[in-house]
Amino acid sequence: MNQMVKHSSEGTVPWPAEDAERYRAEGYWEDRPLGAWVHEAAQRFPDRTAVVDGADGTRMSYAELVDRADAAAERLLGLGLRRDDRVLVVLPNGWQFVVLTLACFRAGIIPVMALPAHRRYELRFLGNLAEARAIVAADEIKGFDYQELADELRPEVPTLEWTLVSGVPREGNVGLEELLRPGEDPAGARARLDAAAPAGTDPALFLLSGGTTGLPKLITRTHNDYAYNIRACSAVAGLTEDSVYLVSMPVSHNFPLACPGVLGALFLGARVVTLPSPNPARAFPVIAQEAVTITAVVPAVAQKWIEHQEEHRTDQLGTLQVLQVGGSRMPDELARRVRPVLGCTLQQVFGMAEGLINMTRLDDPEEVVCTTQGRPVSPADEIRIVDALLEDLPDGTPGAILTRGPYTPRGYYAAPEANAKSFEEGGWYASGDIVERRPDGNLIVQGRDKDMINRGGEKVSAEEIESLVYQIPGLSIVAAVSMPDPVLGEKVCLYAQMAGEDPLTLEQVQEHLKKAGVAAYKIPEKVVVVDEIPTTKVGKIDKKALRADIAQRMSLQA
Ligand code: J2J
C-alpha cells in the first residue's frame, strides 16, 4: 500500500533557487526543523510549564512535552509510518493536538490540519488529496462519533491504514493518549530523531486553503518558511518567554497555530493554554487563573467578549495585554471598543494560510489600530496592489493584492489548475482580497474579488456549495452568496431558479448537504427562490446583484 503514496515534493512548488538563496543569506531561512526550536526552548526552560489544557486540567512542563513528543514520534515510526507520510488531524484544541503535532514535526511526518467541524465530504477529499496513511481524531465530540466517521472513510481513502483515537479507542484503533505517553529513554530518542531530522526545505505540514475553488486545496508549509512565519509574528506580537498564550479558536487554523500562536509560544519557552471554545463565560475565568497575556480571535468572538464584559464587568482580564483579531474584517466601531472595554491592546491581523501576515503594531496610534489591518510582519514581504490588467495602483486606490516572500509558498499542493488561477507570473500569490495601501504602509481590506463567503472567519467556497446543491433534482440555476449577519459578519445564502414548479426549500438543502457529509458551517442558512437569477452583460451570474438583493430583503425584514 505504501508504494501508492507519493513524495510531497512531487506536488510542492519550490521557491526559485535564487530566492531561496537570498532568504537564506538574509537570515530568514535557518535550515532548522520546527521541532528543534521547541527542543531549544525545552533545554533552556525544562521545568517551565509548556502546555495547560483548560478542558481536562493536564499540565505539562517543557521537559515532559519534548519527551512525550519524541517518544510519540518513535512510536509513530514504529507503527509503520514513515517520514513524509501524511496524517489527517481532526482534533479539538487540547494537549493531544500539541504533542501530536510536535511528534509529527520531529519524525518528519506531515500533519494535514483538518478541522473537527469537517465531515465525511471534506475528510474524504483531503485524505485522498494528501494520500493520508492515518487519521487522528477524538472518539466523540458533542455526540458526534469520529470513530464511526473514520470507519466510513477507510474504504473511501484507500491509503488510510491507521485510526488514532483520543479517548476510548475501539478494537483495531490506536489509543492516542497511550501513543503520546512519555518515553523510557528521552535522551536516546532525542539523539535518534535529531540524526534523522527533516531538512529545512522539507514539507512540515499541510494547511487548508480558505475555499475559493470548487475543491479544497492544501498548502505545503516547509520547516524553513513556517519557522520564519512564527518568529516574525512573535516579534511583532511582542511575544516573550513570559507570555501566556490562550488558544480557543480551532488550533489547526494558521492564525492560532503560528501567527505567533501556539508554536510561537513553544519556540520561546512561553506557556500555552488550550480551550475547546472561545465562549467568554468559560474563557474569562481561565484567562484569570492562568494569567493569560495574549490570545487570538475572529471579530465575531471579539464582539461576544466585549458584550460579555460590558454586561458582567468581570475582573478576569487584568493580565490580558494583547488581543489579536483577524480572519475577517473587523468593523472600525468594534475595534474602538476593545481597549476601553477589555483593557488590552488590539492587534489587527490580516493573514492567510497561504503565507503573508499583516499586523498592526502594538505601539501604533489608536487610529491605525482601529481602522487598518496593519502591514506585513516581514521586511522581505513584497506587496503589489494592482488593477485588472495587473498594473500597479498608487497608494490610496483599492485594488487586488499580490504578494510573495520568504513564507508565502509559490503554489498549492498538487493543484496546477488552481495555481494557474491564483499565482501570477513571477510567483505572486493573488489572494483575491481588495486592499487599499495607505501612504504609511498600512493596509485596509476593502472587500474581495473571490467567490468565497467568510462566515465569522470560516471560509466557504460558493462554487463548492453550488456543485453539491446541483445534485438536488429540479434546479435550473443556483448561486451561493454571502448575506449580512450581525454576529458573524456573513452567512451563506442560496439563490435558486427552478426548472419545474416545486420550489426548493431550506430543509431540502440542509438535509442534502448534511447527508453528503458537509461541515455544518458551510450549509446555507437561507434559501431564496427566484423566477430568474440575474446575469451580467457577459452572461455570468450577477452575484453582486444577489448580495444587494438579500441585504435589502433582510433590512426590510428587520
Ligand atoms: C479582512 N479579511 C481577512 C482581516 C483574513 C491570521 C489571520 C487570519 C488568517 C486567515 C490567517 C482578514 N480582514 N483582518 O491565516 O494567519 C480573509 C482574507 C484572506 C483570507 C485568508 C492568519 N484576515 N481575512 O483568515 O487562510 O480574505 O487565513 O485572504 O483562513 O481571510 O483566510 P485563511
Side-chain angles (χ1 to χ4, degrees), residues 50-343:
V51 184
V52 177
D53 187 315
D56 73 3
T58 300
R59 305 179 81 85
M60 211 175 281
S61 69
Y62 268 91
E64 189 181 347
L65 170 66
V66 293
D67 170 15
R68 281 178 182 262
D70 283 2
E74 293 209 307
R75 290 186 194 112
L76 288 169
L77 297 167
L79 277 178
L81 281 157
R82 295 167 320 182
R83 186 148 150 186
D84 197 50
D85 278 345
R86 336 287 147 62
V87 168
L88 200 50
V89 179
V90 200
L91 288 173
N93 292 5
W95 67 267
Q96 295 91 336
F97 177 95
V98 180
V99 178
L100 177 84
T101 300
L102 195 54
C104 287
F105 293 162
R106 289 289 285 156
I109 292 168
I110 302 172
V112 182
M113 296 297 180
L115 295 170
H118 286 148
R119 292 293 179 261
R120 207 176 82 234
Y121 167 77
E122 288 87 13
L123 297 177
R124 177 179 55 217
F125 183 83
L126 296 169
N128 280 317
L129 175 58
E131 297 169 285
R133 295 190 70 204
I135 177 167
V136 192
D139 51 359
E140 67 135 274
I141 302 175
K142 289 186 196 150
F144 184 80
D145 188 336
Y146 286 88
Q147 295 194 73
E148 207 175 294
L149 174 63
D151 289 345
E152 286 170 18
L153 281 173
R154 290 281 282 265
E156 300 181 327
V157 184
T159 48
L160 271 182
E161 289 175 65
W162 298 279
T163 302
L164 280 56
V165 175
S166 162
V168 188
R170 292 195 202 120
E171 208 191 317
N173 293 345
V174 180
L176 188 60
E177 284 74 14
E178 178 77 6
L179 185 101
L180 303 178
R181 74 187 187 279
E184 271 97 59
D185 172 24
R190 179 179 181 181
R192 287 187 294 273
L193 291 164
D194 281 349
T201 47
D202 282 346
L205 71 164
F206 281 163
L207 293 176
L208 272 50
S209 161
T212 48
T213 46
L215 301 171
K217 299 181 295 290
L218 290 172
I219 305 156
T220 315
R221 302 296 299 260
T222 62
H223 287 270
N224 271 345
D225 89 77
Y226 218 47
Y228 178 57
N229 182 119
I230 291 161
R231 291 187 302 118
C233 288
S234 294
V236 177
L239 211 67
T240 73
E241 65 200 50
D242 296 319
S243 300
V244 181
Y245 181 90
L246 170 68
V247 54
S248 70
M249 306 298 300
V251 60
S252 30
H253 281 311
N254 187 42
F255 185 17
L257 182 62
C259 302
V262 166
L263 294 173
L266 296 181
F267 270 33
L268 289 172
R271 179 178 304 182
V272 170
V273 180
T274 69
L275 272 181
S277 113
N279 174 3
R282 183 128 179 247
F284 284 17
V286 170
I287 290 175
Q289 273 155 33
E290 297 299 333
V292 168
T293 61
I294 174 168
T295 189
V297 296
V298 293
V301 169
Q303 185 173 337
K304 277 206 186 125
W305 284 21
I306 287 171
E307 284 165 4
H308 184 87
Q309 183 62 6
E310 278 176 334
E311 189 179 339
H312 299 280
R313 299 275 157 206
T314 76
D315 56 2
Q316 294 166 327
L317 304 180
T319 56
L320 190 64
Q321 293 165 3
V322 178
L323 181 69
Q324 294 187 298
V325 180
S328 65
R329 177 68 151 87
M330 186 178 212
D332 296 358
E333 317 81 69
L334 185 65
R336 287 198 186 90
R337 286 158 69 196
V338 170
R339 186 185 291 285
V341 178
L342 301 178

Side-chain angles (χ1 to χ4, degrees), residues 6-7 21 101 118 130 203 228 284 311 322 328 353 383 388 398 402 411 440-441 446 463 512 528:
K6 283 200 281 295
H7 193 274
E21 229 164 88
T101 300
H118 286 148
Y228 178 57
F284 284 17
E311 189 179 339
V322 178
S328 65
I383 284 185
L402 302 182
D440 64 5
Q446 299 285 18
E463 204 181 315
H512 177 77
V528 181

